[in-house]
Amino acid sequence: MKKIIAVLLSLMFVFLIASLSLAIEEKKIVPPELPYAAGVKQITGEVRSVNLTDMSLTVTKKVGDKTVEVVVAVDERTKIKKDDMEKTFTAIKVGDQVVVKYLKIDRKQVAKNISIKSDSTSEK
């Protein structure tokens, strides 16, 4: 009877050690791919062109002696606002001052957020 108890206690000890080693082992959790989560870039500038057919716009910004030009596409997930009110893509006009947050998806720059500056802000 003592031998059976000793064997059972030994087996329980082995299982305890094995389960502890598995519990301590570091587990790597891979976050889901979120295309809008990382790599967001921003440009603040003037709208040079709006293409309603391609659903894209061109924003220019002067940096030193250079003029930087960024073409961004707009999709159904793009949030467009002016004065904290939701707007549509057709509300964007050439000459508007905008802040565009965008990222690169499939070799294309896609706008995540577009904030149209109000007329009083853009005249400053």
Side-chain angles (χ1 to χ4, degrees), residues 30-116:
V30 178
E33 187 175 326
L34 300 173
Y36 279 120
V40 176
K41 296 180 181 179
Q42 177 177 313
I43 184 168
T44 302
E46 183 177 334
V47 176
R48 189 173 135 234
S49 67
V50 178
N51 188 330
L52 296 174
T53 308
D54 292 343
M55 294 291 290
S56 65
L57 65 119
T58 304
V59 180
T60 58
K61 176 181 184 175
K62 196 160 207 161
V63 179
D65 295 339
K66 292 182 173 181
T67 300
V68 177
E69 184 175 282
V70 176
V71 179
V72 293
V74 175
D75 64 11
E76 66 278 351
R77 295 178 289 187
T78 304
K79 304 245 187 284
I80 302 171
K81 288 189 174 187
K82 181 175 184 178
D83 299 326
D84 293 326
M85 295 179 62
E86 293 282 329
K87 297 292 181 178
T88 62
F89 182 63
T90 57
I92 302 171
K93 306 292 181 215
V94 172
D96 282 347
Q97 292 294 316
V98 294
V99 177
V100 180
K101 292 183 181 177
Y102 65 95
L103 47 104
K104 198 168 190 175
I105 298 176
D106 297 329
R107 291 179 269 145
K108 213 163 115 176
Q109 295 173 144
V110 180
K112 178 181 177 187
N113 296 320
I114 300 173
S115 296
I116 306 168

Side-chain angles (χ1 to χ4, degrees), residues 19-31:
S19 64
L20 283 176
S21 67
L22 289 175
I24 293 173
E25 183 179 308
E26 189 175 318
K27 296 184 182 192
K28 294 182 181 179
I29 299 173
V30 178

